[in-house]
Amino acid sequence: MICSGRTRLKISRSFKTLVLQKSFNFRVQFFSNCSPKKLRMDNNLNCSIEGNKKGSRGALVVLEGLDRSGKSSQCTRLVNYLEGQRISAELWRFPDRNTDVGKMISAYLTNTSQLDDHTIHLLFSANRWEKRLLMETKLKSGTTLVVDRYSYSGVAFSSAKGLDIEWCKASEVGLLAPDLVAYLDISPEKAAERGGYGGERYEKLEFQKKVAESYKAIHDVSWKFVDAFQPIEDVEKQLQEIVIDCVTECQKGKKPLSLLWSK
């Protein structure tokens, strides 16, 4: 089919009109959806979301206490409780015996190696420093860490051997400070009555009495004391109450991370 020049001109004009009309309709729709008021609202919402992401984090919760005070059992129960509340949580233990340093510590604790008191203290400290970066990354990503023993144990046990407390603290300065320290309070005598006592190097009654005194020397008003001689379920419930408040506060961005024993 052959079109005349006049016919081709009409088709061309009709096509241009159609394209212009669609373009006009698109611009009207676009600017209607992106009015200044709507754009401002969207920007404010995005800023709010970003702000929440930056401020919200996981909590660093530490359980301390004498050997056989129930820390390990309560840490496991606590993580299960938090996960049941749809809170991302992980259980950590120090010493971490899976690292190279941790294996040296494990050999010492099970009496298969001998080390100077200063040396073993620094190994315990190094074991915590090995995990510092990962700890910070986990907390900032929103994961709450429930930690079975931390720097306080290192200082309490080493000073119980006669080492200077300030020297013991020095190698720990700069590690992340806990948001909550829960001390499971039990007398050395009652702890010694529990099953499995005496299996490791430090599980000796007279030494545990000295550790208890060392804990008294380093604790502060921020610590929460829980009677560990209560029934397990009562200890568990009390820990849940104090920990959930701490976790909520960290999730709301009200507690920035801080460093241990920093001036």
Side-chain angles (χ1 to χ4, degrees):
M1 178 179 177
I2 301 174
C3 298
S4 65
R6 181 176 296 177
T7 302
R8 286 197 297 273
L9 180 60
K10 287 182 178 180
I11 293 174
S12 176
R13 287 175 177 172
S14 297
F15 178 74
K16 288 181 179 180
T17 300
L18 179 62
V19 170
L20 289 172
Q21 183 63 43
K22 287 187 175 182
S23 176
F24 175 76
N25 290 341
F26 173 78
R27 287 196 300 270
V28 170
Q29 182 67 33
F30 176 81
F31 285 110
S32 174
N33 291 337
C34 299
S35 64
K37 182 177 181 181
K38 181 176 176 58
L39 287 173
R40 284 195 300 271
M41 290 176 64
D42 289 344
N43 284 337
N44 289 338
L45 179 60
N46 289 336
C47 289
S48 175
I49 293 173
E50 283 301 314
N52 288 337
K53 286 181 179 178
K54 290 178 181 178
S56 179
R57 65 173 179 85
L60 179 54
V61 177
V62 172
L63 267 64
E64 288 283 3
L66 300 178
D67 290 348
R68 304 295 165 177
S69 59
K71 296 180 306 303
S72 297
S73 298
Q74 291 298 338
C75 281
T76 299
R77 289 167 176 256
L78 191 52
V79 169
N80 290 338
Y81 165 73
L82 292 173
E83 290 177 338
Q85 302 297 310
R86 297 185 177 181
I87 294 170
S88 175
E90 289 184 8
L91 170 58
W92 283 31
R93 288 190 175 94
F94 285 111
D96 180 343
R97 304 190 190 204
N98 296 315
T99 70
D100 290 338
V101 172
K103 290 173 183 176
M104 296 173 67
I105 295 172
S106 184
Y108 171 82
L109 291 175
T110 54
N111 294 298
T112 57
S113 72
Q114 300 298 322
L115 293 169
D116 172 78
D117 289 340
H118 293 82
T119 302
I120 190 61
H121 176 82
L122 294 175
L123 285 176
F124 270 102
S125 183
N127 190 231
R128 287 181 280 275
W129 279 102
E130 284 182 298
K131 307 300 288 289
R132 186 204 182 284
L133 182 59
L134 179 59
M135 177 180 282
E136 184 172 354
T137 300
K138 290 279 187 180
L139 292 170
K140 287 183 176 179
S141 72
T143 299
T144 286
L145 303 181
V146 177
V147 184
D148 183 352
R149 294 202 183 282
Y150 195 50
S151 295
Y152 309 100
S153 283
V155 174
F157 278 71
S158 290
S159 61
K161 299 176 189 177
L163 300 186
D164 179 72
I165 285 185
E166 293 307 315
W167 183 89
C168 294
K169 285 182 178 181
S171 59
E172 308 287 319
V173 173
L175 290 172
L176 295 179
D179 298 296
L180 171 66
V181 179
Y183 184 81
L184 299 189
D185 195 15
I186 190 172
S187 71
E189 291 80 7
K190 291 297 182 183
E193 295 173 1
R194 294 185 168 180
Y197 193 88
E200 290 197 332
R201 181 183 294 265
Y202 292 141
E203 292 180 344
K204 304 291 186 290
L205 180 56
E206 291 307 312
F207 181 71
Q208 290 290 314
K209 289 179 180 179
K210 294 178 181 178
V211 173
E213 291 301 315
S214 294
Y215 269 124
K216 290 179 182 178
I218 63 174
H219 88 270
D220 59 46
V221 294
S222 68
W223 286 30
K224 305 294 184 182
F225 281 70
V226 178
D227 181 3
F229 194 59
Q230 308 177 79
I232 292 176
E233 293 75 16
D234 292 343
V235 176
E236 180 180 10
K237 183 178 180 181
Q238 191 173 346
L239 284 172
Q240 289 174 358
E241 291 173 353
I242 61 178
V243 168
I244 197 66
D245 288 342
C246 175
V247 171
T248 301
E249 194 173 2
C250 290
Q251 287 180 333
K252 292 179 178 179
K254 294 183 177 181
K255 293 191 71 172
L257 285 172
S258 59
L259 301 181
L260 186 65
W261 287 316
S262 295
K263 295 180 180 180

